[in-house]
Amino acid sequence: MKQNIPFKTILVTMMLTLSAVVMAQTNNDDDVEVVYATDSLKQDSVTWSKELDGVEVVHQKRLVKMEVDKMTYKVSEDEDSKSYTVLDMLRKVPMVTVDGQDNITVNGSSSFKVYVDGMPNVMFSSNPSMIFKSMPASVVKSIEVMTNPGAKYDAEGAAGILNIVMNKQDAQGAQSMNGYNGTVRATAGNRQLGGSVFLSGQQGKLSYSANVMTSYNTPGNTTTETEQLQDSGISQLLTSENSIKTPFTMGSLTLGYQLDSVSALNLTAQVNNMRIKTNGTSSTTLLSPYTTDPFSYTSTTDMKNTRTSFNGSLDYQRFFNKARTQSLVLTYQLSYSPATTEMTNNFNNTSNYIDLTNRYSENKDKTISHIFQLDYTMPLGTGQTLGLGGKFQLHDATADSKYYLTGVYDPSSSSEYEYKNSILAGYGEYAGNFNKFGLKAGLRYEYTWQDVEYHLGYGQDFSTSYGSLVPTASLQYTLGAGSNFGLTYNMRISRPGISYLNPYVDKTNPIALTYGNPDLDVEKAHNISLVYNMFTPKLMMNLNLHHNFTDNGISQYSFYDANDLLNTTYGNVVKSHQTGMNAYVNYLLTKNTRIFFNGGLNYIDLHSDALGQSNNGWTANIMGGVQQTLPWDLKLSAFAIASTKSYTLQGWSGGFNLLTASLSKSLLNDKLNLSVSALTGLNDGGSIMIESSSRGKDFTSHNKVKVPIYGVSFTVSYTFGNSKMQNRQQHQSRVQNDFIEQQSQGEMINSVGSGNTSNGNMPQ
């Protein structure tokens, strides 16, 4: 029987379909509502009849926002954030690689800085992998990869900046309704225990948010086997097994107060505490060409590392016109980061040739930083803005390293010094939009004063100062509503830190010495990128072709001295050139299936005239995966990750392969979430095996490391509070934030210049 379709149903369907098409064309990198119509065809002998049974509007989330000079991964909108850690999420972020030993690289480089909410964080930068492995992804809103941060940001970090944006309440997001919302989360697994509490809300003009989290990681026993052969004929075989435990606690508080309609005051405070405990045993065998009898000894090593940090900031923001295109921001930041490392080595042998005296070392260091910053933004005309600012940083670091032999203090091997680093910076940055063209160019000048004063041990007091002029530029062209490409250039610098400069000689290994180099110079890196972005309702793609080069790169290198002891230190000894491409593809295959691809291919060439060595080769990494909605609204995510060799000046490190998956279910109107996740390597017992090789002027070395990464964890989280307020916040936030996010860099400049934005925060 033929049925007539009501005109109202047809009209609604057409409007929904048209809305979806319009949103797909305008909201390039934001959420897209795709309309799926359920229909059936019935055929009779005379006519065809199309019967519309229903219309389903599916809210598809855009997880990644691509710009010419920055990429943002929206962690809070990824289903995996409910069960994964921040380190797990980083494996999915474009231009970021996490290897089998949890080492993080950005654009193929480990020289990057970690920011938290747009401000540098000493503790996160010093040991990011350990911290991210302990942090639940649910406390993070987004992860920004800034390959070309612009003149407003510090020039430090050759590969750019990794900015972690935490969940928090925005003082400028004025709400007419008071209330609160929070989330409680707990995780239990064979390698990790943890829990967290997040609370945010508003009372009148006061907004607040707080985070508390704790975790206890036990990665398992890592085994290492090293074979080393000196040109003199002496060979070494070292085998070791280490067990690591990592307790981690973090708390943060953010307060915001809306002073009036044009100004706001924000206060943040964060306390972190991390401890690393390592227990290991090792066996070493030495064979000399002058004797047929090998010499062997065994040892036990206990290491305890405790690091605590406090980070606080106070900023005042004021707008000078109704359009909010002219503004001033004053910021003060305080950081305090003390750390203690204790190392005990006991030997069960004696020798007339090698010093096998039991030894203990205690190293205490602390860093205090004061940062004062001023940022001023003004419109120059329609579609054009000018940003000016200055920054003054005061860093005071001390290191006190005490060395003991059989319980007796040895001042000749101990060290104590103070390191002061002051930086004065100023910048100017122009941004303009001209129809399809967008331009952003800036210049930053940083002048650095360094003073080192030795109170004990090897080294002479010295002072140095130098200036660095750092240019940045990006050009963007909009091809159409869903595609654009851009060209960027920037120069980044890397100042050597305490561990690189400290001349203290670490003698915990009786056959090896490790120390820093106080004569290191600042490293300068030049980066050029050609970026292409494409957006459709189902497909999102980013291609990044880049070339990076450094003429005075800081590198670790090793050599043997006259006493046949292996010396490891640092120097500005490397000229590096790297050319490669990164690709990210996100495709909505069906309304229930999304597939991902994230990978990179690079060729690196390394050369050192000082050491008379060179190395080169291809390296690649890929991540492929799927997110699937199953019956009963179960969410499945599965990913495969693989990497090939990576190269250093003196050798290479092998690749790895691993699999990860999670299954989650939401209940009670999405307030309760249950999930189970698993990670495994593809070697024996769910491990990964990483081989590496190096060669110096007078030695060759081959290393094998077996890392057990197999793990299963169960996570439960519950969201509570004023749900009506929560929905209102999300709606207002999307209206404000997505208005800016959906635009290209040039379009954003135009909207700010013409006063069309309602967002109280200045775009970063």
Side-chain angles (χ1 to χ4, degrees), residues 180-250:
Y180 67 92
N181 289 280
T183 301
V184 179
R185 181 182 185 272
T187 298
N190 65 321
R191 299 193 185 279
Q192 183 183 28
L193 294 173
S196 65
V197 178
F198 170 70
L199 180 68
S200 68
Q202 182 160 338
Q203 189 68 34
K205 294 184 177 182
L206 176 68
S207 61
Y208 61 89
S209 61
N211 255 317
V212 178
M213 68 191 75
T214 183
S215 68
Y216 186 78
N217 292 286
T218 55
N221 294 338
T222 299
T223 58
T224 304
E225 181 178 313
T226 302
E227 296 181 54
Q228 197 157 274
L229 177 63
Q230 297 174 229
D231 290 352
S232 62
I234 299 177
S235 64
Q236 302 176 22
L237 175 62
L238 170 67
T239 59
S240 64
E241 182 174 346
N242 292 283
S243 174
I244 303 176
K245 299 177 182 178
T246 311
F248 175 79
T249 303
M250 172 181 167

Side-chain angles (χ1 to χ4, degrees), residues 65 67 69-70 383 385 433 440 476 739-754 757 762-764:
K65 182 187 71 169
E67 298 176 78
D69 53 357
K70 183 177 73 172
T385 60
N433 179 65
K440 187 176 182 180
Q476 178 173 294
F739 179 75
I740 293 180
E741 289 179 353
Q742 72 183 12
Q743 304 169 80
S744 67
Q745 186 180 43
E747 293 169 334
M748 176 167 56
I749 296 167
N750 186 42
S751 66
V752 173
S754 58
T757 177
M762 290 188 305
Q764 295 294 317

